[in-house]
Amino acid sequence: MTDDPLTRWRLILGQDSQAMREVSLNEQQSLLDATLAALYDDTDGKGNGGGKRSAGLGSSSPNLAKWLTDVRSFFPPDVVSVIQTDAIERKGLTKLLFEPETLKNVKPDLSMVGTLMALKGQIPAKSKDTARELVKEVVNEIMKRMEQDLRRAVTGALNKKAHTPIANFSSTDWKRTIQRNLKNYDTATKRLIPEKFYFFERTQRQKSWTVILDIDQSGSMSDSIIYSSVMGSIFASMPALDTHVVVFDTEITDLTEACRQDPVDMLFGIQLGGGTDINKSIAYCQTLIENPRKTLFILISDLYEGGVRAGLLRRLNEMHQNGVKVLVLLALSDAGKPYYDEQLGKEVSKLGIPCFACTPDRLPELVENALKGNDLKKFESKNNESI
């Protein structure tokens, strides 16, 4: 916008700064100044308040739509996300979500999807389609980011463990076939004459593993919920996995079918906020386990338990001792160190159950190692030094 230090400070401090009053702004800089003032100056939008400006976001959707458009034209996407969040928190502008004309100017991001999830019951019918498209855009971006690596990780862990005598050229294990038949190499013709071929297993009709995602739907977990819904959708689309997706507060909702059909449907089936009864949810998830040694249970929660802590620990330990691959993700997000109940986290870790935050980029590696039965404690030490 400008390289002049005085002009930059004038834009940062606003017109209320006496020291900057003599700094002049060109037309574009004045528009940027008004855009920032509408949110960050002390004004009620009618010329009242501590600030000298009469700018404001106002309550009408045309004003909001123009302001959102100006914000997106002046700032990069990461800054736009911060400003949109500030607009909701500082001005209480939940109304910006109630008009399609306004909503279509919102930058789709995790924060805005979390807001839509929290307010879904208040969004009028005329805005629901627009809201859904906004959520879908974010989900599709996450899907592109996660799907290929996550599928590769699961396939790598499950599909190449065993072999089958049933001949199928496309499933030939060439590496093992060559290694086992090197003794049959014909030096005269310089050809390898296999005595026996080896094949990877075909996709089985029966599910190889059960994967259970148990997701805390408290408001602080919104980013994790969004990523988890996409993860559940990817798992549910894989024939080798029998996937269950459960969300909870003080009540339990099984969203398995919604997740199989569309992760956007799942997100709109979640109700952010409320209390937390992790113990109750784990008890329900235990009823979904048929073969403990072929089950991966992932609890995604900040561990602020409102239910029976001793029962929670006992149930997690029961699953772990019975052979279930159990892990606790304090957060599944790009954010830094998570907020969580450190004491309960340490107690879970003492059971031999890894307990840490995980970024989506590391999720495929984590899942692959879990399905292979590798020690997951290394992830815990790398990702969460406080546990």
Side-chain angles (χ1 to χ4, degrees):
M1 180 60 64
T2 176
D3 294 325
D4 178 45
L6 285 178
T7 303
R8 292 178 69 87
W9 275 112
R10 166 64 183 78
L11 291 170
I12 291 170
L13 297 175
Q15 194 177 30
D16 291 343
S17 174
Q18 295 295 322
M20 298 284 105
R21 293 189 68 180
E22 301 303 320
V23 177
S24 61
L25 302 177
N26 61 32
E27 183 177 353
Q28 188 178 29
Q29 291 165 352
S30 295
L31 180 58
L32 171 59
D33 193 33
T35 301
L36 293 172
L39 177 59
Y40 295 109
D41 274 15
D42 185 13
T43 176
D44 61 4
K46 299 179 181 179
N48 301 320
K52 295 181 178 299
R53 301 186 187 278
S54 60
L57 294 180
S59 58
S60 66
S61 59
N63 288 343
L64 286 174
K66 181 182 182 305
W67 179 79
L68 285 165
T69 301
D70 290 342
V71 167
R72 295 183 71 173
S73 67
F74 284 127
F75 301 101
D78 56 339
V79 178
V80 172
S81 296
V82 173
I83 293 176
Q84 286 180 171
T85 301
D86 284 350
I88 293 172
E89 293 178 353
R90 294 169 66 96
K91 297 289 187 177
L93 294 179
T94 55
K95 287 185 178 180
L96 70 83
L97 304 176
F98 294 169
E99 294 290 339
E101 295 79 8
T102 301
L103 192 54
K104 68 183 180 182
N105 290 293
V106 172
K107 177 191 175 296
D109 58 25
L110 288 173
S111 175
M112 192 54 60
V113 172
T115 301
L116 286 169
M117 289 164 58
L119 297 173
K120 68 179 189 297
Q122 303 175 41
I123 299 175
K126 63 181 179 180
S127 297
K128 285 185 177 179
D129 287 344
T130 308
R132 182 180 177 81
E133 287 303 311
L134 189 151
V135 173
K136 186 177 181 179
E137 187 172 340
V138 174
V139 167
N140 287 344
E141 285 299 315
I142 297 174
M143 187 73 75
K144 291 177 184 177
R145 174 181 173 184
M146 295 174 61
E147 185 171 22
Q148 185 175 358
D149 289 342
L150 201 52
R151 284 182 175 276
R152 186 185 297 117
V154 173
T155 302
L158 301 184
N159 289 356
K160 296 187 177 182
K161 284 186 174 181
H163 292 77
T164 173
I166 302 174
N168 183 344
F169 184 82
S170 63
S171 63
T172 303
D173 182 349
W174 289 108
K175 183 177 180 180
R176 191 177 186 193
T177 297
I178 292 171
Q179 287 176 339
R180 293 297 179 91
N181 287 282
L182 285 175
K183 61 183 179 179
N184 299 319
Y185 181 74
D186 187 338
T187 56
T189 62
K190 295 184 178 181
R191 292 181 179 179
L192 184 68
I193 304 174
E195 181 180 341
K196 182 179 180 180
F197 283 85
Y198 295 85
F199 305 91
F200 294 124
E201 284 183 323
R202 291 180 175 181
T203 302
Q204 299 178 353
R205 290 185 179 181
Q206 291 185 340
K207 305 291 186 180
S208 298
W209 276 75
T210 296
V211 177
I212 303 171
L213 303 182
D214 195 20
I215 306 169
D216 185 341
Q217 62 177 351
S218 57
S220 60
M221 299 292 293
S222 61
D223 284 9
S224 297
I225 293 169
I226 297 165
Y227 279 118
S228 298
S229 70
V230 175
M231 174 173 60
S233 179
I234 295 170
F235 285 160
S237 69
M238 302 186 71
L241 301 180
D242 181 20
T243 304
H244 300 270
V245 180
V246 177
V247 298
F248 66 90
D249 41 38
T250 54
E251 299 299 327
I252 301 159
T253 305
D254 193 321
L255 293 176
T256 298
E257 289 304 318
C259 190
R260 285 173 182 166
Q261 295 171 11
D262 187 344
V264 177
D265 287 340
M266 177 190 158
L267 288 173
F268 278 106
I270 288 172
Q271 181 60 58
L272 292 177
T276 309
D277 194 335
I278 308 173
N279 176 54
K280 183 178 179 180
S281 183
I282 295 176
Y284 172 78
C285 291
Q286 284 181 299
T287 67
L288 305 175
I289 300 173
E290 295 182 0
N291 183 352
R293 297 192 177 279
K294 289 291 184 179
T295 299
L296 173 62
F297 175 75
I298 305 176
L299 173 64
I300 303 154
S301 174
D302 55 16
L303 296 181
Y304 285 105
E305 171 66 311
V308 183
R309 293 168 67 100
L312 180 160
L313 291 168
R314 176 176 58 79
R315 293 183 188 282
L316 286 177
N317 190 50
E318 284 177 358
M319 286 195 288
H320 178 59
Q321 294 300 323
N322 288 337
V324 176
K325 303 296 181 186
V326 181
L327 61 97
V328 176
L329 296 184
L330 303 166
L332 178 60
S333 71
D334 294 305
K337 186 177 179 180
Y339 292 99
Y340 66 99
D341 188 320
E342 293 189 19
Q343 182 58 43
L344 188 53
K346 290 177 180 178
E347 292 181 48
V348 170
S349 185
K350 288 178 182 177
L351 299 176
I353 297 171
C355 182
F356 53 88
C358 180
T359 61
D361 293 337
R362 295 211 66 192
L363 183 63
E365 181 187 1
L366 171 64
V367 170
E368 182 174 10
N369 278 274
L371 294 176
K372 286 181 175 179
N374 296 337
D375 184 10
L376 299 180
K377 297 296 283 185
K378 65 178 182 179
F379 284 88
E380 184 179 59
S381 61
K382 286 181 180 179
N383 289 274
N384 201 341
E385 295 179 358
S386 66
I387 292 290

